[in-house]
Amino acid sequence: MTTARQLIITALSLLYFSAFAQGQETPKGTIKAKVIDKGTLQTVPFATIIINGTQIGATTGTTGIFTLTKVNEGVYQLTASYIGYQEKKQLMM
């Protein structure tokens, strides 16, 4: 019996928001995190990350790190996927 490998999304800099001086626009921020293999704790390069319910996404680089920019302030569920792994869904605040 084979077990699908699992991904973990670890927050490096979970959400960074900067408010605009006049406060007329919604604060925007950045989500930056790393995707690692749960069993080996090795980074997972070229995994796909999406914010559920949106068309916003990114791909991890060779170090397993991804960055999503210009994200409205809030709580999001991210999904990480990669061939041979189970999808991982995780809330980010």
Side-chain angles (χ1 to χ4, degrees):
M1 177 181 213
T2 61
T3 304
R5 299 186 314 192
Q6 295 184 355
L7 299 171
I8 298 174
I9 303 171
T10 58
L12 297 176
S13 220
L14 190 54
L15 288 178
Y16 169 76
F17 292 104
S18 59
F20 293 90
Q22 286 89 17
Q24 295 175 359
E25 297 186 38
T26 304
K28 302 283 185 183
T30 299
I31 300 172
K32 185 174 182 179
K34 182 185 288 186
V35 177
I36 59 173
D37 181 298
K38 186 176 181 179
T40 66
L41 301 181
Q42 297 294 312
T43 59
V44 180
F46 312 114
T48 302
I49 310 300
I50 61 164
I51 298 176
N52 293 354
T54 74
Q55 294 182 356
I56 300 170
T59 303
T60 61
T62 56
T63 60
I65 296 173
F66 69 91
T67 304
L68 298 168
T69 59
K70 299 182 182 176
V71 178
N72 290 334
E73 184 174 2
V75 177
Y76 295 98
Q77 184 177 52
L78 301 183
T79 299
S81 60
Y82 190 77
I83 295 173
Y85 287 83
Q86 291 179 331
E87 277 190 353
K88 171 66 177 177
K89 295 179 190 265
Q90 185 166 324
L91 286 178
M92 294 286 190
M93 297 187 221

